Amino acid sequence: MAHQAHAYHMVDPSPWPLTGAVAALLLTSGTAIWMHFNSMSLMSLGMILLLLTIYQWWRDIIREGTFQGHHTPPVQKGLRYGMILFITSEVFFFLGFFWAFYHSSLAPTPELGGCWPPTGITTLDPFEVPLLNTAVLLASGVTVTWAHHSIMEGQRKQAIQSLTLTILLGFYFTFLQGMEYYEAPFTIADGVYGSTFFVATGFHGLHVIIGSSFLAVCLLRQVQFHFTSKHHFGFEAAAWYWHFVDVVWLFLYISIYWWGS
Amino acid sequence: MTITNPHLSHEAVSHDSPCKRLSVCVCLIYKERVGFPEGEVLEEKDRLSEMEMSSATLAARRVLAAAASHGAEEAGAKTWKILTFVLAFPGVGVCMANAYMKMQAHGDHQPEFVPYSHLRIRTKKFPWGDGNHSLFHNGHTNALPDGYESSEH
């Protein structure tokens, strides 16, 4: 029995936007305090609050959409716009770091030796682990597409298999990058080369971890029968995000690893 | 009780906006697969035939159709499963073998230490440990500002 004469979702009052905002404040100020006054308390508190907010807010959205039926077609359309706009904002976020990289590398200063890579920097061979990383992410793009079609065709077991493979490939990438970070002959403190390299690839790695987590939640939901062949936007959003992460890596690989070596 | 409000039935809500074209183009690649009921999909198809499709979406459909020529249905799960095991995984395997062999060829190389002033910057201590080691510090390949640590080669 509908009590509303429209198809939109009037969301119930929720504390999570407030806890999320408080968490953001604690994290940012906490990190500054950690760096200057050697105390991790505020930052840790912020992290805990953020994790609690994330868990409970998205749990509520799943309840509203999957169990209470609030995600009608117009509502879903809005969610699609929202995800597209969010990913667009992330594109601009990475654009800034690419700007920084090209600013420094296209006109290397005399302090660096007037060349790129700067004097004294031993770069990573782009055709070793970085190339493997590229293959891993591209493969994960294929498996996530396999997963999508499996969901649409109602193939439950295949969907679970392909989604699991996608997540495993994501973990493999993260593991390989971690290894590369440890083995690299340069650090973040090695001038502008180190800064641009680790900040750009570091934020990318963070997004891989976020994307893998998003996919893992989708796997859990798929196992618990949340998705139907016609309605599975949570998975589509995760797949869009994963493709975005893949594309950012391709740009990183071409610019920093290959051209910049 | 009868619901007469079109928003609550499965008829498409008709609204044209500049964003519509973008969202349609994004959804076009998943044409029949968008989680909208059948009626709305038909509405979108009609509206599309009036609008020109972007060349990018036309190209994407051509690629999907080409890929589907191998499978019985249009670029279904079976096609992507085949691509996974025939293209994606062997590609990863080849790159794994290549990386492994290259690492064997010249592993363990420690770059020569030259105390350049533009590297190993320490204007501010790291907020962990003794403040002189980066987060992923590797004693073998990362020299400190004074040189390699004496405990490693």
Side-chain angles (χ1 to χ4, degrees):
Chain A
M1 308 296 135
H3 295 283
Q4 59 187 47
H6 61 81
Y8 296 95
H9 184 194
M10 302 302 286
V11 185
D12 290 329
S14 164
W16 312 131
L18 180 61
T19 62
V22 172
L25 172 65
L26 291 174
L27 268 175
T28 46
S29 53
T31 305
I33 284 176
W34 176 51
M35 299 220 161
H36 293 278
F37 302 114
N38 196 36
S39 163
M40 286 214 265
S41 314
L42 234 56
M43 187 177 67
S44 313
L45 189 57
M47 198 70 222
I48 292 168
L49 195 53
L50 178 68
L51 291 170
L52 283 171
T53 303
I54 284 171
Y55 175 73
Q56 292 175 106
W57 196 340
W58 273 319
R59 175 209 63 193
D60 283 355
I61 293 174
I62 291 172
R63 285 174 175 174
E64 290 159 4
T66 303
F67 301 126
Q68 295 174 356
H70 285 290
H71 290 181
T72 60
V75 171
Q76 206 192 112
K77 220 179 254 191
L79 292 170
R80 286 174 188 277
Y81 279 135
M83 193 64 194
I84 289 168
L85 287 170
F86 173 64
I87 292 177
T88 305
S89 77
E90 293 252 76
V91 168
F92 282 105
F93 179 71
F94 277 96
L95 261 166
F97 297 120
F98 278 99
W99 182 354
F101 168 73
Y102 278 110
H103 174 95
S104 300
S105 60
L106 284 168
T109 62
E111 289 86 349
L112 305 175
C115 55
W116 194 275
T119 311
I121 291 282
T122 314
T123 59
L124 300 170
D125 183 348
F127 300 110
E128 278 189 31
V129 175
L131 183 62
L132 172 57
N133 271 341
T134 305
V136 167
L137 281 186
L138 288 174
S140 72
V142 174
T143 53
V144 82
T145 309
W146 173 19
H148 191 194
H149 284 270
S150 303
I151 291 174
M152 290 189 290
E153 291 173 20
Q155 304 264 20
R156 175 182 166 78
K157 207 174 80 163
Q158 272 195 54
I160 290 170
Q161 283 173 359
S162 48
L163 193 41
T164 306
L165 281 171
T166 309
I167 294 164
L168 287 175
L169 286 166
F171 284 168
Y172 188 35
F173 176 94
T174 304
F175 167 74
L176 286 168
Q177 260 310 55
M179 220 185 61
E180 281 284 273
Y181 272 25
Y182 180 68
E183 300 285 333
F186 53 87
T187 71
I188 196 173
D190 282 326
V192 75
Y193 184 88
S195 299
T196 49
F197 180 91
F198 283 105
V199 169
T201 62
F203 271 117
H204 174 261
L206 177 65
H207 284 69
V208 171
I209 291 167
I210 291 169
S212 303
S213 307
F214 196 169
L215 288 165
V217 167
C218 287
L219 178 60
L220 245 87
R221 296 184 67 201
Q222 164 67 11
V223 164
Q224 302 198 314
F225 300 94
H226 287 200
F227 298 136
T228 74
S229 59
K230 288 273 185 275
H231 189 165
H232 45 264
F233 175 66
F235 172 82
E236 289 184 68
W240 290 353
Y241 195 79
W242 193 251
H243 287 305
F244 154 72
V245 161
D246 189 3
V247 170
V248 170
W249 170 258
L250 293 174
F251 278 97
L252 280 173
Y253 180 72
I254 303 286
S255 307
I256 297 182
Y257 286 91
W258 196 347
W259 177 82
S261 68
Chain B
M1 109 195 142
T2 322
I3 299 171
T4 54
N5 188 325
H7 288 266
L8 295 174
S9 70
H10 285 318
E11 291 165 29
V13 175
S14 166
H15 59 270
D16 271 309
S17 72
C19 298
K20 177 84 176 170
R21 181 186 287 253
L22 171 65
S23 70
V24 164
C25 284
V26 167
C27 294
L28 181 60
I29 298 182
Y30 296 105
K31 198 161 55 87
E32 307 81 31
R33 291 99 184 201
V34 163
F36 298 141
E38 300 299 332
E40 190 157 6
V41 170
L42 285 174
E43 268 273 336
E44 288 201 326
K45 274 185 182 174
D46 289 339
R47 216 167 298 139
L48 284 171
S49 58
E50 294 159 21
M51 293 194 291
E52 53 188 70
M53 294 186 203
S54 77
S55 57
T57 47
L58 277 174
R61 291 180 79 181
R62 271 201 295 276
V63 167
L64 283 178
S69 65
H70 299 291
E73 68 283 9
E74 193 187 294
K78 186 112 189 91
T79 306
W80 288 98
K81 182 174 180 177
I82 290 169
L83 281 169
T84 298
F85 291 108
V86 161
L87 184 65
F89 281 4
V92 170
V94 160
C95 288
M96 277 171 80
N98 170 64
Y100 183 73
M101 290 193 300
K102 279 185 156 227
M103 279 195 328
Q104 297 286 64
H106 69 68
D108 260 23
H109 169 69
Q110 187 182 63
E112 183 203 340
F113 175 74
V114 178
Y116 291 116
S117 58
H118 66 281
L119 299 181
R120 295 167 276 269
I121 312 282
R122 293 292 188 273
T123 29
K124 181 164 179 48
K125 279 182 9 173
F126 290 107
W128 53 74
D130 68 353
N132 201 23
H133 296 75
S134 65
L135 194 59
F136 290 85
H137 176 78
N138 179 342
H140 180 71
T141 57
N142 303 137
L144 298 182
D146 295 327
Y148 288 101
E149 286 163 308
S150 53
S151 56
E152 303 282 334
H153 164 275

